[in-house]
């Protein structure tokens, strides 16, 4: 027998609607960088630390990177196009490269989303160490790829 959810009263519904709209308004008034800061703080623990470290490495690899906040709460880093995202799940922090399939990965960092024709991802789990030099090289390669596509469009 299927259990039904208890119905919310009108006052409970309006409270949840208010909290969602207040959250939405507060998010709209914050910059993407502030929203990413808040996400890192909200996560805490190893996931917050991992996302924070990945963010630092992205900024070290490309000081001109632009931080964005898309798709209802996903940190995104761009430079002449999307470089990568930083999604957080219960057991992984996933760094997805938008054009990862087109990037050389001699250090074999990509360990997820390998079957697609476009994206590639790196899943970081609790306790994983980051090959920082290889990751920065991969980030720079993604930026170079984006720049080459922009130049090709301008040349047409």
């Amino acid at each position: 027998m299927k259990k039904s959810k208890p119905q919310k009263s009108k006052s409970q519904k309006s409270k949840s609607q208010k909290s969602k709209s207040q959250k939405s308004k507060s998010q709209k008034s914050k910059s993407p960088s502030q929203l990413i800061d808040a996400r890192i703080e909200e996560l805490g623990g190893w996931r917050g630390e991992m996302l924070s470290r990945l963010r630092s490495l992205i900024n070290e690899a490309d000081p001109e990177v632009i931080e964005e906040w898309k798709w209802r709460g996903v940190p995104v880093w761009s430079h002449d196009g999307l470089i990568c995202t930083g999604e957080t799940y219960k057991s992984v922090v996933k760094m997805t490269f938008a054009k990862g399939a087109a990037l050389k990965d001699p250090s074999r960092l990509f360990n997820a989303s390998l079957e697609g024709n476009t994206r590639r991802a790196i899943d970081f789990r609790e306790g994983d160490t980051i090959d920082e030099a290889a990751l920065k090289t991969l980030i720079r390669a993604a930026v170079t790829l984006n720049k080459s596509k922009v130049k090709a469009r301008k040349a047409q």
Side-chain angles (χ1 to χ4, degrees):
M1 186 168 145
K2 191 174 180 181
K3 290 184 180 180
S4 62
K5 290 183 182 179
Q7 295 295 314
K8 288 184 178 182
S9 70
K10 285 184 181 180
S11 65
Q12 286 175 318
K13 285 181 184 177
S14 64
K15 282 182 186 177
S16 68
Q17 288 170 342
K18 282 181 188 175
S19 65
K20 284 180 184 177
S21 67
Q22 286 171 343
K23 188 174 183 179
S24 177
K25 285 178 187 175
S26 70
Q27 284 188 350
K28 288 179 183 175
S29 66
K30 291 183 179 179
S31 72
S33 293
Q34 290 170 321
L35 292 167
I36 295 170
D37 288 341
R39 171 60 52 85
I40 289 168
E41 179 133 353
E42 171 189 310
L43 286 168
W46 76 268
R47 293 181 307 155
E49 289 171 17
M50 182 64 74
L51 184 58
S52 178
R53 186 66 195 133
L54 293 174
R55 179 190 200 188
S56 294
L57 292 170
I58 293 165
N59 281 291
E60 289 171 23
D62 180 18
E64 296 176 18
V65 74
I66 296 168
E67 292 189 319
E68 299 175 279
W69 187 256
K70 294 187 176 187
W71 309 299
R72 296 183 182 209
V74 176
V76 175
W77 291 273
S78 299
H79 186 148
D80 288 330
L82 190 84
I83 298 170
C84 62
T85 63
E87 302 136 274
T88 54
Y89 300 96
K90 186 176 181 179
S91 61
V92 298
V93 174
K94 181 182 285 287
M95 187 177 195
T96 303
F97 284 76
K99 298 177 186 121
L103 300 175
K104 291 183 179 168
D105 181 22
S107 297
R108 298 185 156 316
L109 296 178
F110 292 129
N111 61 10
S113 304
L114 300 174
E115 63 285 340
N117 293 329
T118 307
R119 292 182 295 279
R120 293 286 185 271
I122 306 169
D123 283 352
F124 295 96
R125 290 177 168 68
E126 186 172 10
D128 282 354
T129 57
I130 303 169
D131 183 341
E132 294 184 3
L135 185 59
K136 286 182 186 181
T137 299
L138 199 58
I139 292 162
R140 289 183 191 114
V143 172
T144 300
L145 179 62
N146 284 352
K147 286 181 177 182
S148 72
K149 297 210 180 247
V150 168
K151 283 182 184 176
R153 275 186 250 134
K154 286 181 180 178
Q156 291 177 350

